[in-house]
Amino acid sequence: QVQLVESGGGSVQSGGSLRLSCATSGFQYSSYCMGWFRQAPGKEREGVARIYDDDSTEYKASVKGRFTITQDHAKNSLHLQMNGLKPEDTATYYCAAKEKVFGVCIGSWGAFDRWGQGTQVTVSS
């Protein structure tokens, strides 16, 4: 059973930083693609960052240059370093996973189908 547990959320002022972590268990990490999503009140959940087999990355345009997604293959964990936080980054952040297809991370953001419980990030102006 895929289990994803986020940590590291909190409240910061505009311009501050937070580092989110996702501990995983119950599945073979190397067989899954990983990413971070967020959902603000009254809005749909959106992809923020994803990481591919070769550790290449992809970001939502509004966070590019401020957020960095990384993974620790030895610890089967995922991280999101968030710098230069803005009030519009306020949301619940979710760790997400989806099974690789023929051993490769392909597919749209909408293909992610495993979720953690979320961690709240609040940025005040």
Side-chain angles (χ1 to χ4, degrees):
Q1 181 180 355
V2 173
Q3 290 193 332
L4 309 171
V5 180
E6 303 93 338
S7 62
S11 297
V12 296
Q13 291 191 328
S14 183
S17 298
L18 285 172
R19 179 177 170 82
L20 305 184
S21 294
C22 175
T24 73
S25 62
F27 64 104
Q28 187 172 7
Y29 187 87
S30 61
S31 295
Y32 280 72
C33 311
M34 303 299 296
W36 287 97
F37 286 68
R38 69 186 182 188
Q39 187 168 21
K43 295 188 177 181
E44 292 188 355
R45 185 158 49 192
E46 62 181 5
V48 174
R50 61 189 291 182
I51 190 163
Y52 292 88
D53 310 71
D54 59 356
D55 286 341
S56 61
T57 56
E58 183 180 353
Y59 297 93
K60 176 180 171 62
S62 63
V63 308
K64 199 170 184 179
R66 300 188 295 121
F67 290 11
T68 304
I69 184 172
T70 57
Q71 58 186 347
D72 185 331
H73 293 280
K75 296 182 178 180
N76 296 339
S77 61
L78 185 72
H79 306 278
L80 185 68
Q81 178 66 43
M82 304 186 295
N83 298 328
L85 283 162
K86 304 176 180 180
E88 52 263 42
D89 294 318
T90 295
T92 301
Y93 283 71
Y94 297 91
C95 177
K98 73 175 188 73
E99 202 163 1
K100 290 180 181 178
V101 179
F102 300 114
V104 180
C105 282
I106 58 173
S108 68
W109 292 91
F112 282 84
D113 58 3
R114 306 289 203 274
W115 306 95
Q117 83 288 351
T119 187
Q120 178 66 36
V121 171
T122 302
V123 185
S124 58
S125 58

